[in-house]
Amino acid sequence: MTVKKQAIGIVGAGRMGRGIAQVFAYRGYDVALVDIKDRTFAETERVLDQAEKQIKAHLSFLLSVPTLPSFSVKKVLSRIVYYGASQLEEALQNADVIFEAVPEVLDVKRAAFHRINTAVRPDALIASTTSSFLVDTLAEYVIHPARFMNTHWLNPAYLIPLVEVSPGKETDSMAIDYMMTLLTETGKVPVRCAASPGFIVPRIQALAMNEAARLVEEGVASPEDIDKASRIGFGLRFAVLGLLEFIDWGGGDILYYASNYLKEELEAERYAPPDIIMEHMNRGKTGLKSGKGFYDFSQRDVSEYQRETLEKFVDLLHHLRLMALPADAMEKTVT
């Protein structure tokens, strides 16, 4: 399935809306960015001017890194047209896909969808960028729920590749496929998840961030050392291996025993392993060493898989200048 360069409408000109507008314009799509909040003419002009300046600043940053040629900046900017609330119908009348990016207040979203419903074509795809509300809750405010879903972008949207796509119970499968393809063609990495509070990333990171705060609270280490440990010990590994893949790599049984130890020593139920870990152990699905875990390794060349994974890890260490040189190599550079 391929997606032609469709017209994109973005309702909400805040940080998220601006970031998404930049993503699509960067990849060659025409974008209408709408500040849907009712304001005076002067205030609307100020907000839209701020939006344009921020997008210019982001592009200037990418130019300085560098990741894009200078001639691309004007072309990207020319693809974004800015509209105020009174121009909503004009802005969205030709839009093929609309992203709602208004503040995380249910009444505000309800009002935004009411106005979007009156402005868009019946065949247009609509997606909310909410990080708070379940898709079926918001689908009640959309005229055509079969063409509606949540797409949770991560800030900064113009840099973070991941987008979590959460379809509702009435979302058409072709609409889901279309959205997944569209996001992929803009350079994003979409993942599909069921309607669940917190999607995937926010649930995982909330646990990790709260635990880091508890470590400070308990006097285990300084904020600086906790952050250093999370970047260099935690983050590096999971930039190469996914969390479940890492369980299989080390062994689900190791996680089980380590979790129960922490649960008992810290007297904290939050460390208790979930039922699925015990289930895997009972079935002998402990990961790489048994051939199956969350993943099936029985038909893979495990040695080659391990080598490829470690090569990625070494490349990352070199990139971050964290790969130490052997003593003889250091002596050679000195002499």
Side-chain angles (χ1 to χ4, degrees):
M1 181 181 183
T2 58
V3 176
K4 66 177 183 178
K5 289 293 189 290
Q6 305 283 49
I8 307 297
I10 300 168
V11 178
R15 182 174 60 166
M16 181 58 74
R18 298 169 188 180
I20 297 173
Q22 181 177 330
V23 167
F24 282 99
Y26 186 88
R27 294 292 290 178
Y29 292 80
D30 290 328
V31 179
L33 180 59
V34 186
D35 173 31
I36 197 172
K37 187 172 181 178
D38 290 319
R39 311 177 193 270
T40 64
F41 178 80
E43 186 67 12
T44 297
E45 289 288 296
R46 184 187 67 79
V47 169
L48 295 178
D49 183 61
Q50 285 180 342
E52 185 174 20
K53 285 180 177 177
Q54 186 174 62
I55 292 172
K56 285 181 178 178
H58 290 164
L59 292 171
S60 295
F61 165 71
L62 293 177
L63 184 63
S64 70
V65 175
T67 59
L68 78 161
S70 57
F71 66 81
S72 291
V73 174
K74 286 186 177 179
K75 289 186 176 181
V76 172
L77 292 171
S78 70
R79 298 185 187 114
I80 305 174
V81 181
Y82 300 84
Y83 297 89
S86 64
Q87 301 169 296
L88 182 71
E89 287 73 18
E90 177 188 352
L92 299 185
Q93 63 182 347
N94 294 318
D96 299 291
V97 183
I98 295 93
F99 291 92
E100 169 271 309
V102 303
E104 294 291 278
V105 179
L106 193 58
D107 286 343
V108 174
K109 290 191 180 292
R110 183 188 296 113
F113 284 123
H114 175 73
R115 296 193 60 183
I116 290 170
N117 287 334
T118 63
V120 301
R121 303 196 317 259
D123 63 335
L125 195 65
I126 302 175
S128 174
T129 64
T130 183
S131 60
S132 304
F133 301 109
L134 297 183
V135 58
D136 290 324
T137 299
L138 298 179
E140 295 178 8
Y141 312 135
V142 179
I143 291 178
H144 303 288
R147 299 185 62 77
F148 177 75
M149 68 193 73
N150 281 350
T151 55
H152 178 230
W153 299 62
L154 304 177
N155 271 312
Y158 76 99
L159 288 180
I160 304 298
L162 189 77
V163 181
E164 299 175 314
V165 178
S166 182
K169 60 185 179 183
E170 295 187 53
T171 310
D172 186 87
S173 60
M174 291 185 64
I176 302 167
D177 292 343
Y178 184 94
M179 178 61 75
M180 299 289 281
T181 302
L182 174 67
L183 292 171
T184 300
E185 292 191 357
T186 61
K188 294 302 177 182
V189 180
V191 294
R192 180 171 171 174
C193 63
S196 178
F199 299 90
I200 300 169
V201 173
R203 278 184 64 171
I204 294 171
Q205 72 182 12
L207 291 174
M209 291 190 294
N210 282 327
E211 200 61 30
R214 288 191 186 98
L215 290 170
V216 176
E217 186 176 70
E218 295 169 10
V220 173
S222 68
E224 293 79 11
D225 281 343
I226 292 167
D227 278 346
K228 187 183 295 183
S230 63
R231 286 198 308 271
I232 299 173
F234 187 83
L236 279 176
R237 292 185 296 186
F238 296 125
V240 175
L241 286 164
L243 287 165
L244 301 177
E245 189 180 12
F246 187 75
I247 293 173
D248 283 352
W249 184 280
D253 53 336
I254 302 300
L255 175 63
Y256 173 78
Y257 293 121
S259 297
N260 278 314
Y261 169 78
L262 290 172
K263 171 190 169 184
E264 292 171 9
E265 291 298 312
L266 296 174
E267 298 180 352
E269 281 294 325
R270 67 181 181 274
Y271 288 106
D275 291 343
I276 193 171
I277 296 297
M278 175 60 80
E279 178 188 335
H280 279 195
M281 285 183 63
N282 291 338
R283 297 171 60 187
K285 296 173 60 177
T286 53
L288 272 178
K289 54 191 173 186
S290 68
K292 288 187 178 181
F294 285 96
Y295 293 89
D296 187 346
F297 301 96
S298 61
Q299 303 301 315
R300 299 184 64 174
D301 183 331
V302 172
S303 295
E304 183 61 25
Y305 161 69
Q306 289 175 314
R307 178 178 176 80
E308 289 175 356
T309 302
L310 291 174
E311 282 180 355
K312 293 175 186 177
F313 190 61
V314 170
D315 286 345
L316 180 59
L317 290 173
H318 278 302
H319 177 72
L320 296 173
R321 300 177 183 176
L322 291 171
M323 192 72 183
L325 293 172
D328 51 346
M330 293 176 66
E331 290 172 3
K332 186 175 181 180
T333 58
V334 171
T335 57

